[in-house]
Amino acid sequence: MPSQHSQHSSGQQYVATNECRLIEYRGARIAAFLSANRSQCSEYLLCLPQAFELFLKHLVGGLHTVYTKLKRLDIVPIVCNVEQVRILRGLGAIQPGVNRCKLLSTQDFDVLYKDCTTARRSD
């Protein structure tokens, strides 16, 4: 059963499935769910807390800064359902006590990463 929808300002809408894989992304292995609405190519939805730890932690003050940036960029992450959280905990992508998690498409993460590496850091 798909979780909630997420929509980027570009109009692309994503729905996460419960099919999770460890994918190679930006030179690291990261947990990602397959998008239910695959068009011509598969779109992966990254575990945002894990992506933060791997790629953004050294660039921004904290995960709260990431959420501020996402809001400014008009990007709405997908909130994981209970089963997706269990899967991510099982893979070690999030800590055992974590009950919530958000997902972000690789396209949206690329926009966020560019903002974190080129924009001013006062968010």
Side-chain angles (χ1 to χ4, degrees):
M1 195 73 171
S3 74
Q4 296 178 330
H5 299 258
S6 175
Q7 188 164 349
H8 182 264
S9 58
S10 68
Q12 177 66 39
Q13 199 171 44
Y14 299 103
V15 179
T17 66
N18 286 348
E19 186 178 341
C20 188
R21 300 177 182 166
L22 288 175
I23 65 166
E24 187 76 23
Y25 179 74
R26 293 182 173 266
R29 296 193 41 87
I30 186 168
F33 288 93
L34 198 56
S35 175
N37 50 326
R38 294 168 255 174
S39 52
Q40 58 267 20
C41 64
S42 297
E43 178 69 49
Y44 286 103
L45 303 169
L46 305 174
C47 171
L48 187 53
Q50 188 181 29
F52 168 77
E53 288 291 325
L54 291 170
F55 308 115
L56 301 175
K57 191 174 185 177
H58 67 286
L59 297 173
V60 297
L63 199 49
H64 63 279
T65 304
V66 169
Y67 290 118
T68 301
K69 286 180 176 291
L70 289 173
K71 189 173 184 175
R72 184 174 44 76
L73 293 167
D74 198 25
I75 298 172
V76 180
I78 296 171
V79 177
C80 291
N81 64 33
V82 173
E83 184 59 27
Q84 290 165 335
V85 170
R86 286 184 187 137
I87 292 166
L88 291 170
R89 279 195 307 237
L91 289 172
I94 57 177
Q95 298 298 318
V98 174
N99 294 321
R100 292 179 294 164
C101 186
K102 294 188 180 179
L103 306 173
L104 200 61
S105 73
T106 54
Q107 176 187 357
D108 288 342
F109 186 82
D110 290 341
V111 171
L112 172 64
Y113 186 82
K114 182 178 179 185
D115 186 78
C116 290
T117 56
T118 60
R120 58 185 173 81
R121 297 186 188 181
S122 62
D123 284 348

